[in-house]
Amino acid sequence: MSLADGASPWPDAHVVIAGVGVSGFAAADGLLQLGARVTVLDDAATEANADKGALLEVLGATVRLGPGSTAALPEGADLVVTTGFPPSAPILVQALAGSVPIWSEVELAWRLSRPAKVVPWLGITGTNGKTTTTQMLEAMLTAAGLKTAAVGNIGRPVMEIVLDPEPYDVLAVELSSHQLHWSSSLALHSSVVLNLQPDHLSWHGGMEAYGAAKAKIYEGVSHACVYNVADRATEAMVEQADVVEGARAIGFTLGTPAPSMLGVVDELLVDRAFIEQRRDSALELATLADVARAAGAVAGPGGDAVPPPHVVANALAAAALARSYGVPATAVRDGLRNVRVGAHKIADVGERRGVRYVDDSKATNPHAADAALRAFGDPDDPSGSRVVWVAGGQAKGTRFDDLVVAHAPRLRAAVLLGVDAPVVAEALARHAPDVPVEVVTSAEDGRTTPTGTARGAADVMARVVAAASSLARPGDVVLLAPGCASLDMFVDYAARGDAFTEAVRALAP
């Protein structure tokens, strides 16, 4: 299995797929087409899983759904393909003990695309900003006339591209730490780690393991390892990576770029990396106004829309990857002008009685919440607008002390929900005792999580928004930037953001 690829005799292999979600289904479908013996396991016997399982059974797979299905590794397994299971999952512990290889769906797709369909991958990872950067990169590649797709941890699973008879020129691939952890042979054209902050620590077992998973995206890179000048950890990853000879280290910065960097000069995004005269000149790529348009930024008091700094950083990272593939400067500009980054990322929901409501449900860790909070309120103006912060959910082992210390002067109040609301409340009590805090619990039983129904979660969010509205003053911003994952109450962060939006729209105008 260590050398397996698309040309290997897959009918001789028994592959176990752990999880029948979107990527698990795609992995099973691809392997069945290659003739492999496939067993699909999932502990959740939902209607959606049952439908996918039934189809896979028709195609020849063995499917087991329901509690305990992944507790034991089937006998005779040659490979396990996992779709997000942590290393501590019993089936993976058993596989490791039995020297059975474990691959992510991304690793499977990479191998099966070799040697016949060698399409270059431009990879994006990092704690925050992955999806925005991937969307921007896809738009730039498309503007250059290239056949591309945004895949991986966004959009379609990579396996679907492998199975697609349509030829692609290049792929924009968003990669999570979970996917990278179980990947060993990826060797991308170019890649970036946008930033590194605590997240998914309970899954990985600590910050060191989390960072090591992210760093794997640089291994084997052939053209450009793009790093964040403001985040020394990402540059250290590049320095330690084993890359193809000739691969370059390319930085991006919100300041004036040095040679071999992209940066900002006089409200212009410029390139001093992919031009011949980079020692004494720079090439204009786009304007901050182009980035503001891509981000859907709202005009400020002066009339000009100002993009949040982290979105500018994302645009620079996407531009660096695009330029590494030879995309012209005009395509970088046109891509930013054409793209609209995904929902639930500092999205204006509306205004009610002089209070602005903003949905940043995609802020699923403290670092992302930090970026959102920096966009609102003036900590140096005691009489200015303030933020009513809506936070809470699954903290994933992270802490909020530094976040609260940094933003306490911005806060009018905080409204908390979710299973780890007490974690956020304790940080506020320690570092911002004067900030009013309200914890909204389930109406049914007083817990911070509802009974698990979509309606129950929506009801809790409606009471959260009502509480935030009562605490806010005209000119304030009610900001949903939870700093936590959403799965304790919602299907995903999008459902959480939708519930927030629905609740805001139900307020009296």
Side-chain angles (χ1 to χ4, degrees):
M1 294 306 302
S2 64
L3 300 176
D5 60 19
S8 298
W10 285 99
D12 296 339
H14 176 201
V15 183
V16 175
I17 311 291
V20 71
V22 175
S23 59
F25 181 89
D29 185 25
L31 288 164
L32 289 167
Q33 290 188 39
L34 292 173
R37 183 158 61 97
V38 175
T39 299
V40 180
L41 311 174
D42 200 305
D43 291 328
T46 64
E47 182 177 351
N49 284 354
D51 289 344
K52 285 181 282 194
L55 178 54
L56 290 174
E57 286 181 326
V58 170
L59 297 174
T62 299
V63 179
R64 295 208 304 266
L65 304 178
S69 294
T70 67
L73 180 67
E75 292 186 8
D78 298 304
L79 171 67
V80 175
V81 176
T82 176
T83 58
F85 282 59
S88 60
I91 191 172
L92 303 186
V93 172
Q94 294 167 41
L96 289 172
S99 299
V100 177
I102 303 172
W103 297 352
S104 65
E105 175 263 339
V106 168
E107 173 76 5
L108 176 69
W110 175 265
R111 287 173 177 262
L112 295 188
S113 67
R114 271 72 186 158
K117 298 177 70 174
V118 184
V119 179
W121 290 16
L122 303 177
I124 302 97
T125 195
T127 304
N128 297 301
K130 295 184 294 297
T131 298
T132 296
T133 304
T134 305
Q135 291 172 327
M136 288 177 168
L137 175 59
E138 179 191 29
M140 293 172 190
L141 297 170
T142 299
L146 298 165
K147 175 67 175 178
T148 189
V151 295
N153 202 42
I154 176 179
R156 300 166 62 188
V158 192
M159 273 299 300
E160 288 191 6
I161 299 298
V162 174
L163 301 174
D164 193 337
E166 183 78 17
Y168 286 80
D169 297 311
V170 60
L171 298 178
V173 187
E174 179 184 324
L175 295 168
S176 71
S177 61
H178 301 168
Q179 293 167 322
L180 287 164
H181 179 87
W182 299 115
S183 299
S184 59
S185 68
L186 304 184
L188 309 190
H189 178 285
S190 298
S191 61
V192 63
V193 180
L194 297 168
N195 42 63
L196 185 69
Q197 295 292 328
D199 198 14
H200 301 296
L201 301 188
S202 56
W203 195 99
H204 287 280
M207 189 65 187
E208 183 177 353
Y210 173 61
K214 292 291 190 186
K216 292 174 76 171
I217 199 170
Y218 288 130
E219 295 298 316
V221 161
S222 58
H223 286 73
C225 295
V226 180
Y227 66 92
N228 184 346
V229 174
D231 193 329
R232 170 61 187 152
T234 66
E235 185 176 10
M237 291 176 184
V238 175
E239 293 170 349
Q240 297 163 13
D242 184 9
V243 301
V244 174
E245 185 175 356
R248 299 176 58 198
I250 305 296
F252 65 90
T253 174
L254 296 178
T256 301
S260 293
M261 294 182 185
L262 280 70
V264 180
V265 177
D266 295 333
E267 299 191 353
L268 299 176
L269 276 63
V270 299
D271 174 4
R272 290 192 68 188
F274 301 100
I275 59 173
E276 290 186 7
Q277 303 299 323
R278 56 181 172 269
R279 292 197 177 277
D280 53 16
S281 61
L283 175 65
E284 177 184 340
L285 299 175
T287 67
L288 290 181
D290 295 326
V291 180
R293 179 177 177 180
V298 177
D304 295 327
V306 179
H310 65 282
V311 179
V312 179
N314 295 339
L316 289 165
L321 291 175
R323 294 285 290 159
S324 80
Y325 195 70
V327 166
T330 53
V332 172
R333 177 202 65 200
D334 293 344
L336 288 172
R337 290 179 177 178
N338 294 334
V339 73
R340 292 295 178 272
V341 297
H344 311 295
K345 188 66 179 173
I346 311 187
D348 267 272
V349 174
E351 186 175 308
R352 295 290 188 275
R353 299 183 179 182
V355 176
R356 181 179 170 193
Y357 293 81
V358 176
D359 168 17
D360 198 54
S361 183
K362 203 171 189 299
T364 58
N365 56 64
H367 186 250
D370 173 76
L373 285 163
R374 288 184 187 281
F376 304 103
D378 184 355
D380 298 321
D381 181 5
S383 63
S385 67
R386 289 288 179 270
V387 174
V388 177
W389 180 31
V390 178
Q394 293 169 304
K396 300 174 289 183
T398 58
R399 309 300 297 177
F400 289 79
D401 296 81
D402 292 345
L403 182 68
V404 172
V405 169
H407 296 294
R410 300 177 188 272
L411 299 181
R412 175 80 66 197
V415 182
L416 309 179
L417 74 165
V419 67
D420 285 328
V423 176
V424 187
E426 289 164 8
L428 286 161
R430 281 191 294 270
H431 306 293
D434 294 333
V435 172
V437 175
E438 184 166 341
V439 177
V440 176
T441 60
S442 162
E444 292 88 348
D445 55 14
R447 293 180 294 120
T448 52
T449 54
T451 55
T453 65
R455 188 65 263 162
D459 288 344
V460 170
M461 184 60 80
R463 291 189 292 116
V464 165
V465 169
S469 175
S470 68
L471 292 164
R473 301 177 185 175
D476 285 350
V477 173
V478 173
L479 172 65
L480 173 66
C484 295
S486 58
L487 299 181
D488 58 328
M489 296 180 65
F490 299 92
V491 173
D492 51 26
Y493 73 81
R496 178 171 60 187
D498 289 342
F500 177 79
T501 299
E502 180 183 343
V504 171
R505 290 174 178 169
L507 292 174

